[in-house]
Structures are given as C-alpha cells and as structure tokens.
Amino acid sequence: MSDGDDCLFCRLVAHEIPASVVAETETTLAFRDISPAAPTHVLVIPKEHYRDMAAIIADRPELMSDVMATAMEVVGLEGLQEEGYRLVANTGASGGQTVYHAHLHVLGGRGLGWPPG
Ligand code: AMP
Ligand code: ZN
C-alpha cells in the first residue's frame, strides 16, 4: 500500500474526493479549505505525498519552491498582494496539524491578528 491510499489529500489529488480548485500545476494543487477560517482560505499541497514541509525539503527542495510559487499565484488570484495575507504550515501535534499530507494555508481577506491562539 502506498502512502496515499488512506490519505485525504492524496484522494483529493486523485479526484476521489471533490475539491474547489483555485490553481493547479504539474506538481501542486491549490483548493479552498472546506472549513474556511477567513474570507480567503486556500490550501496549497504538493501532488506527491509528503507528511510535512521538512520531509519535502529533505527529499526534494525544489518541490517546496513549487508549493511556494503556487501560494504566490493564489495570493495574486485572490487579490491579496496589497492588503496582505498569512501563510501557515501547521506541523505535528503541537502545531495543530490534522492532515498529514504537507499543506500550506493561504489566509487573507480580514485582519488576522497576532499571536494565533
Ligand atoms: P491542518 O489542521 O493544518 O492539518 O489543516 C487541515 C485543513 O484541511 C483544515 O483546515 C481542514 O478544514 C481542511 N480540510 C479537511 N478536509 C478537507 C477537504 N475535504 N477539502 C478541503 N479542505 C479540507
Ligand atoms: Zn497524501
């Protein structure tokens, strides 16, 4: 069994679960979070399964660059350059990660406050 067989986001990449896709490249997918925490809340993932950003950097650093470039594309598509936005990578239990397929949250459209709860 490959990593992706029981992974929610791998199933989404495989079109087994519907997604509201915002942007797509050969290596990445950006789609709206099902439970948005802000007016813009988009998740950017590598299509290939990695459990977190550290795993991507360790194995294939150029893929992290792809993920970041797609996040910047989403920022542009959502018109967030001027007002600003937040990129978040919840990692591990203390970081609040619930889906163990690496993803970057792109949040914007309201004042987000700091620090997070
Ligand atoms: P994290 O807590 O950082 O692991 O983020 C996982 C995110 O995935 C949460 O914000 C969820 O709302 C989101 N999520 C879970 N299932 C889906 C889905 N089927 N489509 C889109 N977003 C999802
Ligand atoms: Zn996966």
Side-chain angles (χ1 to χ4, degrees):
M1 190 169 90
S2 79
D3 256 348
D5 286 347
D6 59 355
C7 170
L8 180 68
F9 288 172
C10 281
R11 294 185 63 202
L12 205 141
V13 169
H15 302 292
E16 292 169 17
I17 293 174
S20 176
V21 173
V22 176
E24 180 169 12
T25 69
E26 204 175 308
T27 56
T28 68
L29 188 67
F31 53 94
R32 298 199 187 279
D33 196 293
I34 204 167
S35 178
T40 290
H41 189 171
V42 174
L43 302 176
V44 182
I45 66 171
K47 288 181 175 175
E48 191 176 329
H49 183 91
Y50 289 94
R51 63 178 278 114
D52 55 29
M53 300 302 175
I56 300 177
I57 288 291
D59 186 60
R60 213 173 129 201
E62 71 281 7
L63 181 57
M64 192 65 229
S65 176
D66 292 353
V67 169
M68 194 57 83
T70 299
M72 293 303 101
E73 187 187 347
V74 170
V75 165
L77 289 168
E78 296 288 305
L80 296 174
Q81 303 99 320
E82 293 302 319
E83 64 183 88
Y85 53 89
R86 183 170 295 162
L87 305 179
V88 175
N90 296 327
T91 307
S94 292
Q97 187 173 5
T98 60
V99 177
Y100 281 79
H101 179 129
H103 55 280
L104 200 55
H105 297 255
V106 181
L107 295 153
R110 67 169 172 84
L112 293 162
W114 189 262

